[in-house]
Amino acid sequence: MGNSNGKNRTHPVADHEPDYAYKDYGYDYEYDQRNDYDSGWHPDKTYGEAYFHEHNNDSPLTKRRSCTDVLCLILFLVFLGGWGAVAFLGIQGGDISKVIYPTDSQGNICGKGEMTDRQALLMFDLTQCLNPAVLVTGCLTTHVCVNKCPDENYSPLGEAKLGTNQQQIKERMKPFCKPVSDEQFKQDVETLVQKEICPPWYLKSSEVLGRCFPVSMKAEDNDSNEEVVVKRVDTGGDHDITKGEIEGSLYRLGAFLNIRQFGERIFMDLKETYWMIGLALIGACILSFVWIVLMRFLASFMVWVSILTVFLGIGSLLGYSGYRLYFVWLSTDPETHKNIFQLNWTPEIVDDFLKQRDTWMAFTIILGIIFLVIVLLFLFLRQRIMIAIALIEQGSKAVGQMFSSLFFPIIPFLLQLVVVGWFLVVALYLASWGEQEYRVAFKNDRDCSQFEGCSQTVNGSDSVPYQSNDTCTPEEFKPCIDSCPEAMCQFVKYTKNKDYSWMQFVNVFGLYWGVFFFSAFGEIVLAGVFSQWYWTFNKKTDLPDCSLGTAMWNATVFHLGTIAFGSLLIAIIRMIRTMLEYVERKCKRFNNDLTKCLIWCCKCCLWCLEKFMRFINRNAYIMCAVKSTNFCKSAKEAFNLLMRNLVRVVVLDSVVDFLLFLGKLVIVLLTGVASYMTFSGQIPEIKDDIPSLNYFFTPIVFIVIGSYFIASAFFGVYNMAVDTLFLCFLEDLERNDGSVEKPYYMSKSLKKILGKMEKSVNESRHRSP
């Protein structure tokens, strides 16, 4: 740290430095903060004027508050008005049902308007989805809205050819035909099928996202892929329909709808276990709450339990990965020696991935590095960890005496949910604000250019035959369909409105600003609560009855402008990051190594900038809550105060955050292990009650992610408590000297922390040659 000769010191020292004999906090620097080596202060530093010249011992808490950053609040309200105008235009021009519900071949929305009683979409011939063009044009078969999906395998065309009574066939197939007049439906079955009013065949199906998908026909072996499901004579086509074709059709159609078989399985697993996931998340809430309550009385013990649990958990995972790697390494199965780029993207890719030798080697190396880093941190930072634990204990006392603060994060969280919900509604309306787009398609690659009516007028006079994927309208294309039945004017998508881009930009920016605004609101309220606790001299008798209510009143009435200012800065940075990622995706195929490097550098710099601004904002909110100053002044004072005590910031703040993070990690590990034991069938008593899942890790992943956010919400109160106490602690050191005239506001325990810090620094100083 320093040398006795003073060569490397950051500030001048007296000619005679007394031999180290720890007597009291501040003794080593004569109770003068300017002589405190640990603070990093020296006369040449320009980090603002310290509080040494404060002649009174009054609390810095401002008794009379004033409104701060009013212009920013006005700007925020104006933006909300603009966001509301965008939402109004989107609701006026859009139709959210276009996004939520499927659309048939004629552009009718299933479940809406004339199709109110027909909420599911049925595709006549799924084998048409085998064409790779499905990724562009959609499945080239007739789409019809139906009341419910078929519950049996049936071929109306086949039955008609066998001579079955026409009326009986029509009664069975009518629910799956287009809604036509009774006069049209009087035609024979063959004619109805030929005109694509009714399907030639259909299969037992289940509804997934409003669409009818045949029940899975996954074959047990390759030979059964050729098993005939519908015979050629029953299809009206030129070949039999096999199980393999149906499976292939489902797979390609899944690509077009972005719900491949993997996604369907995940969806079904969530549908089966949603209530269990909910119970697990409630359990995570209870566990987090109990953990926080225990920290009130056993803070040191709970922190050491967190450290030990993480240490054992990472070590166990490392041992398990090494165990799996050992047996995979000895395996002679050629599948284990493939690399990740040789794997096929199938629903079984996760299982294939876990069979690879490289997978377990990577897991072992990564976990080994993490384990080594944790061990080294504990060895070299043990003294700082002890100091940080003492500060956490002080935070525990503050949280314990302000117990209502534990439940306050629910309010900003619910408000953030409102913002996210509003954003999603507006986004859906904007996405549905557009015209229906139809594209030309020819079944079986039929050439209809010679038929009458299969041409379009270009430039007012030239007649050009329709080509596949040309845009069309059903009314103008109808003559072509009448003369060439293989021609189709197929609905594909809704085109975006010309104002879609800038409106969605406003919507996304509103999401960021709104979410960060309420996050900042939560921080400034908690800062007000815990600063009130710190700057109360007698914390047992003089604390106000409703500190939380007072802090909420101050934040709402006086400091919404400061909240808007700070959240605006973060929102702008996040918006720039989003735009950069959008540009990267759009230009991905044109990227070379240089552009990739530049983009990644920009992304890294913006990430660091956002982290830095979050740190500045958090401390600015604390200063604002204490002194009722505007954002810029609060940020400046907080930054200068931290820089005047830079070494203390490094010693305490980062270590405290790390220890609290370990607490969150313990809760996530406990819920994750319990979920794994449950869904993998390791608990015999409830094994039979667990539903059969495609992937047992599906609910585990959602539970682990949800548990982390829940734990973060609870521990966020502790983080804010410690950060507030720490900043107040630094100002207290500068304002007061511990004398009778200017006593410290800090508790005796915090004085001990200060003494430990001085002792740690002096020990380092005297160990230096």
Side-chain angles (χ1 to χ4, degrees):
M1 293 286 295
N3 297 324
S4 57
N5 58 14
K7 290 181 179 179
N8 295 325
R9 293 187 179 276
T10 58
H11 63 276
V13 295
D15 294 333
H16 172 68
E17 183 176 322
D19 293 334
Y20 173 69
Y22 179 74
K23 295 181 179 180
D24 190 13
Y25 59 92
Y27 173 81
D28 189 60
Y29 52 87
E30 300 176 351
Y31 302 97
D32 189 340
Q33 182 74 6
R34 289 168 289 183
N35 296 329
D36 177 11
Y37 176 86
D38 192 29
S39 72
W41 186 92
H42 67 80
D44 296 330
K45 287 191 176 180
T46 56
Y47 295 128
E49 184 178 353
Y51 300 102
F52 303 125
H53 304 292
E54 297 287 342
H55 298 294
N56 60 66
N57 191 41
D58 292 338
S59 161
L61 282 173
T62 301
K63 301 299 186 290
R64 291 189 60 184
R65 293 183 174 267
S66 59
C67 296
T68 55
D69 299 297
V70 178
L71 291 178
C72 290
L73 178 59
I74 295 174
L75 177 63
F76 182 65
L77 294 176
V78 170
F79 175 80
L80 290 181
W83 195 12
V86 169
F88 175 78
L89 293 175
I91 294 172
Q92 286 288 98
D95 184 358
I96 200 171
S97 60
K98 295 178 181 179
V99 180
I100 298 177
Y101 300 101
T103 305
D104 67 11
S105 299
Q106 282 69 50
N108 299 312
I109 301 172
C110 299
K112 301 292 291 183
E114 297 179 355
M115 301 293 174
T116 303
D117 57 341
R118 293 172 169 253
Q119 300 180 353
L121 186 71
L122 175 69
M123 286 154 280
F124 279 5
D125 188 0
L126 272 175
T127 60
Q128 296 296 323
C129 301
L130 285 170
N131 192 324
V134 68
L135 297 172
V136 178
T137 63
C139 194
L140 303 180
T141 186
T142 303
H143 298 57
V144 175
C145 298
V146 296
N147 179 261
K148 64 176 183 177
C149 295
D151 56 6
E152 62 176 348
N153 298 338
Y154 187 63
S155 174
L157 184 60
E159 291 292 327
K161 292 181 177 180
L162 292 174
T164 305
N165 184 277
Q166 292 268 324
Q167 191 59 33
Q168 293 179 356
I169 298 174
K170 289 182 179 180
E171 289 178 0
R172 292 180 67 176
M173 73 176 185
K174 187 173 183 179
F176 311 111
C177 297
K178 293 180 181 178
V180 295
S181 63
D182 293 338
E183 187 66 28
Q184 287 181 284
F185 203 69
K186 289 180 180 180
Q187 302 174 82
D188 58 73
V189 173
E190 289 87 348
T191 303
L192 292 173
V193 170
Q194 184 179 6
K195 292 184 176 181
E196 297 189 341
I197 295 175
C198 296
W201 53 274
Y202 51 81
L203 302 173
K204 183 179 180 180
S205 306
S206 60
E207 185 177 335
V208 179
L209 300 182
R211 295 165 176 84
C212 296
F213 288 92
V215 175
S216 181
M217 299 180 180
K218 193 73 176 174
E220 298 297 329
D221 52 64
N222 293 332
D223 293 338
S224 57
N225 275 330
E226 302 302 322
E227 181 179 338
V228 176
V229 179
V230 184
K231 295 181 179 179
R232 177 176 54 191
V233 295
D234 299 338
T235 65
D238 57 0
H239 67 288
D240 298 330
I241 306 300
T242 65
K243 281 187 176 182
E245 283 187 292
I246 296 296
E247 285 296 326
S249 301
L250 288 173
Y251 186 82
R252 286 194 181 275
L253 184 61
F256 177 68
L257 298 172
N258 200 23
I259 50 167
R260 289 181 186 270
Q261 199 171 24
F262 179 78
E264 293 175 22
R265 291 182 178 184
I266 296 292
F267 178 80
M268 295 306 296
D269 287 346
L270 291 177
K271 187 177 180 180
E272 290 290 333
T273 59
Y274 72 92
W275 63 274
M276 303 180 75
I277 295 174
L279 289 177
L281 295 180
I282 293 174
C285 287
I286 296 173
L287 179 60
S288 300
F289 181 76
V290 171
W291 193 276
I292 292 296
V293 172
L294 289 176
M295 285 188 70
R296 166 65 181 90
F297 305 100
L298 304 168
S300 179
F301 174 77
M302 298 302 291
V303 171
W304 283 113
V305 167
S306 301
I307 294 173
L308 182 61
T309 303
V310 170
F311 184 80
L312 293 177
I314 299 296
S316 300
L317 289 174
L318 176 60
Y320 178 74
S321 296
Y323 172 81
R324 289 293 300 269
L325 175 62
Y326 174 76
F327 285 100
V328 171
W329 198 278
L330 297 178
S331 175
T332 58
D333 185 357
E335 292 293 322
T336 62
H337 297 282
K338 291 183 177 180
N339 59 54
I340 190 172
F341 300 106
Q342 294 174 310
L343 300 180
N344 295 320
W345 187 261
T346 65
E348 289 77 27
I349 190 172
V350 176
D351 295 332
D352 295 339
F353 180 73
L354 294 177
K355 292 178 183 178
Q356 307 308 307
R357 181 181 64 183
D358 292 348
T359 299
W360 292 106
M361 182 183 294
F363 284 165
T364 303
I365 293 173
I366 293 171
L367 290 170
I369 293 173
I370 294 174
F371 186 77
L372 178 62
V373 170
I374 291 176
V375 171
L376 293 176
L377 285 174
F378 292 156
L379 289 177
F380 292 102
L381 298 180
R382 60 188 184 280
Q383 184 65 37
R384 295 183 179 184
I385 288 174
M386 296 296 296
I387 298 173
I389 290 175
L391 186 58
I392 291 175
E393 288 178 335
Q394 292 305 299
S396 299
K397 291 181 180 179
V399 173
Q401 288 186 270
M402 305 288 187
F403 200 70
S404 59
S405 62
L406 278 178
F407 303 97
F408 170 73
I410 296 174
I411 296 175
F413 175 73
L414 292 177
L415 292 173
Q416 286 177 324
L417 286 182
V418 171
V419 173
V420 173
W422 175 255
F423 161 77
L424 292 175
V425 170
V426 175
L428 288 173
Y429 273 109
L430 291 177
S432 65
W433 187 10
E435 300 297 326
Q436 295 172 337
E437 180 179 306
Y438 295 84
R439 295 270 179 181
V440 175
F442 300 102
K443 292 190 292 185
N444 301 321
D445 296 328
R446 179 66 183 273
D447 182 9
C448 297
S449 59
Q450 304 302 321
F451 289 87
E452 184 180 355
C454 290
S455 58
Q456 57 182 330
T457 302
V458 180
N459 297 327
S461 59
D462 298 336
S463 181
V464 178
Y466 279 109
Q467 301 295 323
S468 180
N469 210 37
D470 284 348
T471 57
C472 60
T473 59
E475 295 78 12
E476 295 178 356
F477 199 75
K478 191 174 184 306
C480 183
I481 296 176
D482 293 338
S483 58
C484 183
E486 285 80 3
M488 299 177 62
C489 186
Q490 179 87 14
F491 168 79
V492 176
K493 63 180 180 179
Y494 291 97
T495 57
K496 297 292 186 288
N497 182 274
K498 61 182 177 65
D499 297 320
Y500 173 81
S501 296
W502 72 264
M503 286 186 170
Q504 203 64 279
F505 178 91
V506 172
N507 192 37
V508 173
F509 188 79
L511 169 69
Y512 290 150
W513 199 357
V515 169
F516 296 143
F517 179 89
F518 288 117
S519 176
F521 175 78
E523 289 182 350
I524 203 169
V525 169
L526 291 175
V529 170
F530 295 119
S531 61
Q532 178 71 56
W533 181 87
Y534 185 93
W535 294 111
T536 299
F537 197 80
N538 191 332
K539 296 175 175 55
K540 292 184 178 180
T541 59
D542 295 343
L543 285 173
D545 295 331
C546 190
S547 297
L548 180 61
T550 302
M552 290 179 65
W553 171 263
N554 290 338
T556 305
V557 175
F558 300 108
H559 304 314
L560 287 182
T562 299
I563 295 171
F565 194 163
S567 56
L568 173 62
L569 296 177
I570 305 296
I572 291 173
I573 297 172
R574 180 60 63 87
M575 196 68 201
I576 295 173
R577 291 179 61 188
T578 303
M579 293 169 63
L580 184 63
E581 292 174 359
Y582 175 79
V583 171
E584 181 186 20
R585 285 197 301 270
K586 287 293 183 181
C587 302
K588 197 168 187 179
R589 59 178 178 173
F590 304 109
N591 284 353
N592 53 41
D593 292 340
L594 178 60
T595 56
K596 287 180 180 179
C597 179
L598 291 175
I599 288 176
W600 274 102
C601 287
C602 292
K603 291 168 68 175
C604 181
C605 292
L606 288 170
W607 181 85
C608 293
L609 178 61
E610 182 175 330
K611 288 294 182 183
F612 176 74
M613 285 307 304
R614 283 180 179 273
F615 174 78
I616 293 296
N617 282 13
R618 192 177 183 89
N619 289 284
Y621 296 146
I622 296 173
M623 277 295 184
C624 178
V626 173
K627 302 183 178 182
S628 189
T629 51
N630 61 48
F631 180 84
C632 292
K633 186 175 182 180
S634 298
K636 179 183 177 180
E637 289 194 11
F639 181 76
N640 287 336
L641 180 59
L642 291 171
M643 291 303 296
R644 292 196 298 268
N645 297 270
L646 183 59
V647 178
R648 284 197 177 100
V649 174
V650 175
V651 169
L652 276 182
D653 204 40
S654 55
V655 179
V656 168
D657 289 342
F658 175 69
L659 293 179
L660 292 177
F661 172 75
L662 292 184
K664 292 187 285 186
L665 201 60
V666 169
I667 292 174
V668 173
L669 284 174
L670 291 176
T671 53
V673 169
S675 302
Y676 175 82
M677 298 290 289
T678 300
F679 291 104
S680 63
Q682 302 294 325
I683 306 177
E685 291 78 7
I686 62 173
K687 183 177 181 180
D688 296 335
D689 298 326
I690 303 299
S692 179
L693 303 175
N694 295 298
Y695 306 112
F696 77 89
F697 61 78
T698 300
I700 297 175
V701 170
F702 281 85
I703 289 171
V704 167
I705 295 174
S707 299
Y708 178 78
F709 284 111
I710 290 170
S712 296
F714 279 94
F715 277 84
V717 177
Y718 257 86
N719 272 318
M720 201 64 210
V722 171
D723 288 347
T724 303
L725 296 182
F726 183 63
L727 203 64
C728 294
F729 166 79
L730 296 180
E731 182 166 344
D732 193 14
L733 287 175
E734 292 192 352
R735 280 179 171 273
N736 306 301
D737 56 14
S739 63
V740 176
E741 294 80 10
K742 300 179 70 175
Y744 288 124
Y745 277 81
M746 70 182 75
S747 64
K748 293 180 180 179
S749 299
L750 275 175
K751 294 176 185 178
K752 291 179 182 179
I753 294 174
L754 175 60
K756 289 179 181 179
M757 293 174 69
E758 301 307 324
K759 182 178 179 181
S760 175
V761 170
N762 284 313
E763 286 177 348
S764 300
R765 181 189 305 175
H766 284 273
R767 281 197 300 267
S768 301

